[in-house]
Amino acid sequence: MYRMDVVRTIRNEKLTLETPWLLKHFHIFFQAFFNSLPFVLISIIITEALQPYIQNHLALSCLLIVSLVVGYLLVRKQYSPTIILGTTHEQFLQAVMPTLKEYGFNIIQNNEKLLFASCTANRTLISDNFYVAYTQNAIFVFCICELPFPFSFIKAKAVLASITSRCKSG
């Protein structure tokens, strides 16, 4: 559970956390490795299936590198914002609070600059974090899920889609 650096997040339009550089990147690489485990398993199965046809070591190392790069790119995609335009702070809060309760997020911090919520439902070491940065013209929304590949994007997309639809309808 890291705090968001609001000023740098708004300036860069990417989620920036207040952690030491090495710790932040270690966390992202660990999350990328965890996210790419399904791809690594598929790579090993493909290498074993094609063993008579290709050189085993070269194919496995290439597939593992590609798997880890895909996992890293999928994780980095979560650190880019969903931008909501034309919604006031109050309208956004009315739309986001029921969604966060629905998905089991506990609000840690909520003020005029940012909103931070965390979900550790049914898990002790893996958390899902929800960050919001408010500007005068837009609202930046981030949902970082630390589950393996298919589950992380299913939850993140569901949360973000629910919030955007409630903002548009409200």
Side-chain angles (χ1 to χ4, degrees):
M1 168 176 345
Y2 303 112
R3 289 182 38 87
M4 175 175 53
D5 185 351
V6 179
V7 174
R8 286 194 337 201
T9 297
I10 292 170
R11 184 179 54 209
N12 299 338
E13 292 188 2
K14 291 190 180 205
L15 182 62
T16 306
L17 302 174
E18 292 179 352
T19 60
W21 184 86
L22 186 61
L23 183 62
K24 177 175 59 176
H25 284 81
F26 175 74
H27 180 74
I28 291 172
F29 286 127
F30 180 74
Q31 187 178 355
F33 175 75
F34 192 62
N35 224 347
S36 65
L37 281 178
F39 300 112
V40 169
L41 293 175
I42 291 171
S43 299
I44 292 171
I45 290 170
I46 289 173
T47 304
E48 287 299 318
L50 297 177
Q51 187 175 12
Y53 304 109
I54 56 176
Q55 199 174 29
N56 195 15
H57 301 295
L58 179 64
L60 180 61
S61 47
C62 288
L63 286 173
L64 288 176
I65 290 170
V66 168
S67 300
L68 293 173
V69 168
V70 167
Y72 178 76
L73 293 175
L74 290 173
V75 168
R76 287 304 294 175
K77 186 178 181 333
Q78 291 184 9
Y79 285 80
S80 57
T82 298
I83 300 173
I84 299 176
L85 299 169
T87 303
T88 64
H89 179 77
E90 292 79 22
Q91 291 172 334
F92 178 75
L93 286 178
Q94 288 176 353
V96 79
M97 291 303 174
T99 303
L100 292 179
K101 282 185 183 178
E102 178 184 337
Y103 285 97
F105 283 91
N106 297 322
I107 296 174
I108 309 291
Q109 185 175 3
N110 184 12
N111 57 32
E112 294 295 321
K113 291 183 187 177
L114 68 103
L115 179 128
F116 172 60
S118 183
C119 175
T120 57
N122 302 325
R123 296 171 266 161
T124 55
L125 298 175
I126 298 174
S127 67
D128 300 328
N129 296 317
F130 184 82
Y131 299 95
V132 177
Y134 303 109
T135 67
Q136 292 177 354
N137 301 326
I139 299 171
F140 296 140
V141 182
F142 305 90
C143 188
I144 310 295
C145 295
E146 295 181 353
L147 294 170
F149 166 64
F151 308 110
S152 62
F153 287 99
I154 291 171
K155 184 172 183 179
K157 283 195 177 273
V159 170
L160 294 173
S162 177
I163 289 171
T164 56
S165 68
R166 286 184 184 188
C167 284
K168 288 179 183 177
S169 67

